[in-house]
Amino acid sequence: MGIEFFPSKNLVHCSSAILSANKFIRKLNGGSQSNLVQANDSKYYVVKMMENPQGSNVLANESLGAAVARAVGLPVADSKGIYLSDTFIDSFPALWFESPAGRRRPNKGVHFGSLFIGQPSGPQRPNEYISPSRVDNIANRQDFLGMYILDVWANHQDTRQAVFCRSSDGTQKAFFIDHGHMFGGPEWMFQDRPGVAFHLEKNIYADLWNEDQVASWISHFQVVIPSALSYANVAMQSQWYKGKVDELIGRLTERLCRLPELVRADVDDCWHLIKTRTINERLRLPDSGILDFGTSDGRGTNLRDPSVA
Ligand SMILES: Nc1ncnc2c1ncn2[C@@H]1O[C@H](COP(=O)(O)OP(=O)(O)OP(=O)(O)O)[C@@H](O)[C@H]1O
Ligand SMILES: [Mg+2]
């Protein structure tokens, strides 16, 4: 049995039971320097810590983004508050933040945990990369249209990430991850950047556009999101944001009313590039994994590691 690093009192509970991290597994790729840990429910979680280098509201964005996506029926990992104690943090210095100025110790407290999709090792380990020739093998490829519309509403400022899990029938199921740059990004600074929130593998979107389905996603969002937002807001840890959350909710509510026009504007600016690019990709870069889609700050020009985590 593992040692439990859990305080006996003074815990602020969020939406559901808060877990404690028992075992450090490894540090993960990415700007927030998240860590894979095993918690006291024996499951594995990707933990994004407070005060991580990405900015003030990243944990709130993760929490709100996952809650809203889940409420509208899009596949996302379960989220939990994960307590990291002083003993745990001191026992595993590899989880500390690293910067050119040196290592920085995270503080104890309730951090954000995303339930690891699949298994951290072995055949059930998920993939983050999907080759252009394999996109038709994604069983729930349609969900990328819904997620695109959700990301337009949420003014997502980063490329859309997903992990793909192999099913027994040979297909892959996509789960959306990394919501830290939704809601105008870590500082809640809304700005129009059409097309920024596409997944790096644009072939996923080939032939997905369908006016009826778009209209149906939008009206579904307009019904479900208001209550999902207020529930998620009430349940969220207050130390996960520094911005004015009521202003954010007001802005998001207003964007929900304008969602048909927001989607139209985004689509007019960028969706045609999907088709062009898709044809080009099929002709020129099969299976390379390298996509340069010219997002304005270059976030979308990464070469993603084909292996996950
Ligand atoms: N729920 C999950 N299940 C499986 N793997 C996950 C999950 N969440 C994150 N990961 C893995 O951990 C990595 C880091 O997560 P994430 O992308 O959220 O971190 P980040 O620091 O925000 O990265 P970025 O620099 O892309 O913004 C991902 O690339 C993915 O491989
Ligand atoms: Mg990421």
Side-chain angles (χ1 to χ4, degrees), residues 229-254:
L229 258 187
S230 39
Y231 181 77
N233 178 19
V234 169
M236 192 161 60
Q237 298 280 318
S238 59
Q239 38 318 1
W240 287 357
Y241 55 88
K242 294 204 167 60
K244 293 182 177 155
V245 76
D246 291 341
E247 281 180 19
L248 175 71
I249 303 285
R251 184 157 202 169
L252 291 171
T253 306
E254 177 263 333

Side-chain angles (χ1 to χ4, degrees), residues 6-20 40 63 80-83 109-111 231-240:
F6 202 58
S8 55
K9 53 184 180 176
N10 298 336
L11 266 188
V12 182
H13 282 255
C14 63
S15 57
S16 49
I18 291 167
L19 301 169
S20 64
N40 60 333
S63 174
K80 288 276 194 274
I82 307 270
Y83 184 81
V110 179
H111 302 261
Y231 181 77
N233 178 19
V234 169
M236 192 161 60
Q237 298 280 318
S238 59
Q239 38 318 1
W240 287 357

